[in-house]
Structure formats: structure tokens, C-alpha cells
Amino acid sequence: MLPALFVSHGAPTLPFDDIPARTFLKGLGATMPKPKGIVIATAHWETQAPAVNRVAVNGTIHDFQGFPKPLYELTYPAPGDAALSDRVASLLGADIDNSRGLDHGAWVPLMLIYPAHDIPVVQIAVQTRMGVAHHIDLGRKLAPLRDEGVLVIGSGSFVHNLRLLDRRGPDAPEPDWSKQFSGWLNAALLARDDDALVHYRERAPHAVQAHPEEEHLLPLFVAYGAGANAKHIHDSVTFGSLRMDAYSFA
């Protein structure tokens, strides 16, 4: 059985950035059996109700501005899988989108993990207003796919406050508030403390500072719900307040 994964996708330039998270993601695919398909939830597709894409070939959405031209030339034309999309829609009671491709929350990490883009990919949306418990439930509904050779991934950021980025560079030191939040969240994940996680915004130190909005953390809870025992498989930080942690839920 494949694990469920949470990965932090960082800045859109991750495929070019010489940082530990890029090195980690480039080696991640080799640590697992090759999946028959991938279902990925990302922070960059927000909907009112659960939604899944259903396309023959995934387009590459460059949903960002102001970056170097080579970034806009990258493509990740992974095939879709109509049967898998329909299965996900049935499990989640999700709406089907017949045109949406992959946003950078999906193609940036997948380009590093599976550069051959030969594995069918189906993307699902997050419902930011519906909170943590809803996304844990989404993950639990997707869990049977793991027995069918499908890799469930949540792609977001472990700490994500763009307003407080340290512009001195990717090696800028991590502030204490980020360390305190990430330490609390790591402990809650490893303990499988659902109650603490559902109420993290009230209980975790500096939670609102770590995530002024929740969309970049919610994919973590999809992966958490789809798996069981948590394993912290990567730990790094860029620009001070952009943590790049990754987890496996086996």
C-alpha cells in the first residue's frame, strides 16, 4: 500500500532553486513503488464544494506573476484518468471540472518527484471556509484509493506567511514564532491528536501568524486523513517564514 504524502511546494521557482527541499523532492519518487495514479489536493484551487478535474491531458497553469521567463516555459503534461476522476467524485460527492489543468501547487512538486510526467494525475480542490475537520474527512474518504495503487498527496506549505518573508535570501534564519508553531504542529501530527489539530488556530502558538489564511495548510489534513501513522520525512525552511516540511502517512 502506498502512503499518503504532504509536501510543501514553496515558491514557483522551486524547480530552479538550489535548496534542500528541491533535493528532497527530486529523490522522493525513488523511495516508493510507482503509483498507478496520483490524486493531489493543492492550496491553489479553492472551491465552495468538493471538486475534481477530469481531463485527457493536464494543462500547465502558470498561476503567478513577475517571475523569470524560463519558469513560464515549464510544462507538465501528465495524463488525466477519467475513471479515477469519476471514482474520486463518487467518494467525495464532488463536482467535476472538465477543463482545469494543474496549478503550480501540483506541477511544481510533481515535476521534481516524477519528472517523466507519465503517471495519471487528478487534482482536487480545497474548501477553505470549511476548516480542518472537513479536510480530514475528505482524506478519510480517499483512503481506499491507497489500496488501489493510487498516491494521495496534499501540497501546500507547513508555514506560509508571505508578508513576513525575509528577503535577504533563502538561507535567512527562521524566526522563533515559526519554530514554535511548527514544533507544536509536528507533535500533534505525530500523536494523531485530531482534536488538537481541528482546533489548531486557538491552541497552537502563533497559528494565525504562521497561516494568515488557511488554504496552504489544509492539504496537510487531506493527507493526514488519508493515512495513519505520521512520519516527518523532511524539515527545512526558506526565506525565514516559508517552511518546507513533508510528511508521510502510512
Side-chain angles (χ1 to χ4, degrees), residues 145-163:
L145 297 175
R146 295 175 50 223
D147 286 323
E148 301 167 18
V150 174
L151 180 63
V152 177
I153 302 177
S155 173
S157 289
F158 204 63
V159 171
H160 187 266
N161 189 328
L162 300 184
R163 284 168 271 183

Side-chain angles (χ1 to χ4, degrees), residues 1-8 25 28 32-42 52 84 87-88 91-92 105-106 109-110 113-114 119-126 135-156 218-229 233 246-250:
M1 179 189 297
L2 288 164
L5 299 176
F6 170 74
V7 297
S8 297
L25 289 171
L28 182 57
M32 302 175 290
K34 186 175 180 178
K36 296 177 181 177
I38 296 169
V39 173
I40 185 164
T42 90
V52 57
L84 181 56
R87 177 101 164 95
V88 171
L91 290 170
L92 301 184
L110 290 177
I113 302 169
Y114 297 113
I119 301 169
V121 179
V122 169
Q123 183 168 332
I124 62 173
V126 296
H135 289 85
I136 293 175
D137 184 60
L138 290 183
R140 288 177 176 152
K141 290 175 178 176
L142 294 172
L145 297 175
R146 295 175 50 223
D147 286 323
E148 301 167 18
V150 174
L151 180 63
V152 177
I153 302 177
S155 173
L218 293 175
L220 167 64
F221 301 115
V222 176
Y224 173 90
N229 296 327
I233 57 175
Y247 285 81
S248 171
F249 301 95

Side-chain angles (χ1 to χ4, degrees), residues 7-29 74 108-109 111-114 234-238 244-246:
V7 297
S8 297
H9 59 252
T13 54
L14 184 61
F16 301 119
D17 294 340
D18 185 14
I19 59 174
R22 176 177 176 266
T23 301
F24 162 74
L25 289 171
K26 287 185 72 173
L28 182 57
L74 295 180
V108 163
M111 177 173 284
L112 296 170
I113 302 169
Y114 297 113
H234 181 71
D235 174 1
S236 69
V237 62
T238 60
M244 299 298 294
D245 297 60

